[in-house]
Amino acid sequence: MGRHAAGARLGWGFTHTQYSAEYGVPDATRRAGALLSARSLPQNQHIMGWGAENPEPSPGRHDFEALDARVALMRGTGAVPVLTLCAAPDWMKGGRAGHTDWSRLETAPDPRHYADFARLAGAVARRYPDVRHFLVWNELKGFYDEDKRRWDYEGYTQLYNLVYTELKRQNPRNLVGGPYVVVDHDPPAADDEDCSRELRGCWGELDQRSADVVHYWNAHKTGADFVVVDGSSYTREGHRTIPDEFTATEKFADVTRWLRRVTGLPVWWAEWYVEPPADDDRPGGRDGWSEQHRTAVQATAMIRLAEGGASAAFYWNPQQTGDDCPGCLWRSTHLRDGGGALPMALLLSRFAYEFPPGTAFRPVAATAGRGDRIQALADDEAVLVVNAERRPVVARVDGHVLPLAPYEVRWLPH
C-alpha cells in the first residue's frame, strides 16, 4: 500500500454537515464538545457548503471565517482533521465574482479554472498546516456527461491531478485521495447495459459507470495515498435492499475487497447509507425506521466494512436544529437539553475503539433459533452481537446464552 499506508488508515469517523456542534445554546455546545473529546474520532469537513461559506468569493479574496470555526471545532475536540475539497466558488463555474448562488453548489468548475481550484486547495493547505488528509471533490458532482451517459472521468482526473500536485507541493506529507465516486448498483441479473459483470453479489450488480471511473482514475492519476468512494446498500433505482436490509450490507465488504484488488490502495468510504429514502421525500429523507432498527442495520454495515478491510469510513452526520433528528450523533445543540449522545454516536465511538483498521478478527460461534438472524464480529478483546430481528431472540455466543431485545446491539467482553 506504499509508505503512506499507515497514515491513511484513520478508521471510523464522521462528516460535519450544515449544522454541527460549534453553535447553539452554550451548555449544549459544551456537552457536545465533551462528547466529541471523550473518545475523539476523525472528523471531515467540506471547504464550501455543508456548513462552510464560499472560501474565495472573488479571485484572490478569501473568506475562511466559517471554515475556521469548523477546523477549530475539530482541533478543539482532539480529532484528526480531514478536508473535502468541494465545492468551487461561482467565478470558477461561469458565475459572477463576489456572488454565491447556493443552488449551483454541486456544479463542477469550468476546465479553464481547474488550475484556479488547485490553487485554492493550496491556500487551504497553507492555512491549516496541521491537516494532512484531503479528499478531492465529492461524488463527481457536476461531472456527469448526459450526452455520453457516463461520468466525465477524464475531466475529473485532470482536476484531481492538478490538486494532488499542488497539495504535495505544499507539503509532501499531505495525503490525498479520490475519485469519491458513488458505487451504485442494480438488482441481481438486471437486464441493463450499465450493469457490470466484474462485481456482483446477492445484493445486486455494480453499475459499470462507477467501475469505469475507478479504472480510469487509477490508470491515469498522478498519484494517490488512498482510494475513496461512497455508496448505499439499496439499489440505484427503486431503492431496494436485496434480499433484505441486513444482508444487502454485504455489498460494503464486496466493494471494499474489489477496490483493494483493483487499486492496491487503502480504501476509504466517505459516506455510506443503509436506509432507503422515504417514498414522499419528506424532511429527514428516510422511511420511518425506529432508532433501534436503524442502529442495528448500521452496526451490520460497519461489520461488513471492517470485514472487507476498509481503512477509513466516515458517517454522514445528518444533524438538524430541531428535536426530530433520525440517525444524528447528538441532540441538537440548539436545544437547551441538547449536546448529549444519541445511539449512533455510541455505536460509532465504541466500534472505532474496539475495531480499528488492522484488527485481527477471530471466528465467533454465534447462533440463534431457527429462522432468527444475528450478526457478530469479534477479536480477542470484544464481541459485537446484533439482533437482526424485530422480535426478541435468544442467541448462543461463544457458548453463552444471550437474550437479545428486538434489534438490540450488544457488546460483550471476551
Side-chain angles (χ1 to χ4, degrees):
M1 290 186 177
R3 63 190 180 92
H4 291 311
R9 298 175 68 169
L10 291 189
W12 305 90
F14 70 92
T15 293
H16 294 278
T17 53
Q18 183 66 34
Y19 303 103
S20 195
E22 76 272 37
Y23 298 116
V25 179
D27 284 347
T29 60
R30 281 194 290 271
R31 280 190 290 269
L35 169 67
L36 295 178
S37 301
R39 189 178 282 167
S40 190
L41 304 175
Q43 298 174 27
N44 175 39
Q45 171 63 43
H46 292 64
I47 65 168
M48 178 177 173
W50 298 278
E53 298 296 331
N54 188 334
E56 192 176 4
S58 299
R61 183 173 71 82
H62 295 110
D63 178 3
F64 289 120
E65 182 178 359
L67 188 56
D68 284 350
R70 281 288 167 88
V71 172
L73 175 63
M74 294 192 283
R75 288 170 172 163
T77 53
V80 174
V82 178
L83 290 177
T84 295
L85 299 166
C86 183
D90 290 56
W91 60 272
M92 294 186 190
K93 51 196 181 190
R96 178 162 49 92
H99 174 75
T100 302
D101 180 355
W102 290 106
S103 71
R104 302 186 69 236
L105 177 65
E106 299 184 358
T107 301
D110 186 282
R112 294 172 298 177
H113 289 290
Y114 286 173
D116 291 317
F117 187 80
R119 281 189 285 272
L120 173 58
V124 168
R126 288 193 302 276
R127 188 170 186 84
Y128 311 112
D130 53 327
V131 177
R132 286 283 171 271
H133 302 84
F134 298 89
L135 313 183
V136 181
W137 211 245
N138 170 311
E139 296 186 334
L140 275 75
K141 286 178 167 59
F143 280 97
Y144 192 76
D145 188 322
E146 294 288 353
D147 293 332
K148 296 181 179 178
R149 291 190 67 254
R150 66 164 175 84
W151 298 103
D152 176 17
Y153 39 72
E154 299 96 340
Y156 168 80
T157 303
Q158 182 183 353
L159 173 68
Y160 172 88
N161 285 339
L162 289 168
V163 172
Y164 175 89
T165 300
E166 175 63 20
L167 290 173
K168 292 294 186 178
R169 188 178 72 85
Q170 293 297 329
N171 190 327
R173 293 183 297 167
N174 286 338
L175 305 184
V176 187
Y180 202 153
V181 64
V182 183
V183 282
D184 281 329
H185 72 279
D186 291 294
D191 185 18
D192 191 321
E193 63 180 342
D194 295 321
C195 287
S196 173
R197 297 296 180 259
E198 64 178 299
L199 182 62
R200 61 182 66 180
C202 62
W203 42 269
E205 301 179 356
L206 183 68
D207 190 314
Q208 185 60 49
R209 291 169 295 186
S210 299
D212 289 344
V213 172
V214 173
H215 286 300
Y216 184 91
W217 171 84
N218 191 51
H220 296 87
K221 65 186 185 306
T222 297
D225 298 290
F226 53 91
V227 57
V228 56
V229 297
D230 81 325
S232 62
S233 54
Y234 46 84
T235 57
R236 177 176 60 88
E237 294 185 353
H239 302 138
R240 298 166 55 196
T241 52
I242 301 172
D244 60 76
E245 72 272 33
F246 286 92
T247 310
T249 63
E250 292 181 13
K251 171 188 174 177
F252 297 122
D254 293 342
V255 171
T256 301
R257 295 187 183 107
W258 173 75
L259 288 165
R260 293 173 63 193
R261 184 173 67 251
V262 168
T263 68
L265 293 167
V267 177
W268 284 31
W269 285 80
E271 309 166 43
W272 79 89
Y273 300 98
V274 299
E275 295 170 87
D279 291 338
D280 59 2
D281 200 29
R282 63 184 180 275
R286 300 298 155 189
D287 69 353
W289 286 359
S290 68
E291 204 69 9
Q292 293 82 3
H293 187 185
R294 177 181 301 106
T295 307
V297 183
Q298 288 285 10
T300 304
M302 294 170 71
I303 289 172
R304 301 300 176 227
L305 288 164
E307 289 176 332
S311 292
F314 292 84
Y315 180 71
W316 187 270
N317 184 24
Q319 210 67 45
Q320 299 293 328
T321 58
D323 187 53
D324 184 24
C325 197
C328 291
L329 295 180
W330 57 83
R331 278 182 56 75
S332 170
T333 53
H334 293 263
L335 303 173
R336 290 190 179 277
D337 64 345
L342 294 173
M344 192 60 204
L346 300 177
L347 170 63
L348 189 66
S349 176
R350 183 71 181 270
F351 201 102
Y353 175 76
E354 300 289 1
F355 301 138
T359 295
F361 298 113
R362 66 171 180 84
V364 55
T367 59
R370 185 173 182 178
D372 293 334
R373 300 169 302 165
I374 60 172
Q375 309 290 336
L377 186 68
D379 64 4
D380 289 337
E381 302 297 329
V383 182
L384 173 61
V385 183
V386 180
N387 179 8
E389 302 293 344
R390 66 176 66 192
R391 59 182 179 273
V393 164
V394 176
R396 185 174 292 274
V397 180
D398 284 342
H400 300 286
V401 176
L402 189 67
L404 297 171
Y407 296 131
E408 183 176 355
V409 176
R410 178 89 64 90
W411 289 94
L412 307 173
H414 177 54

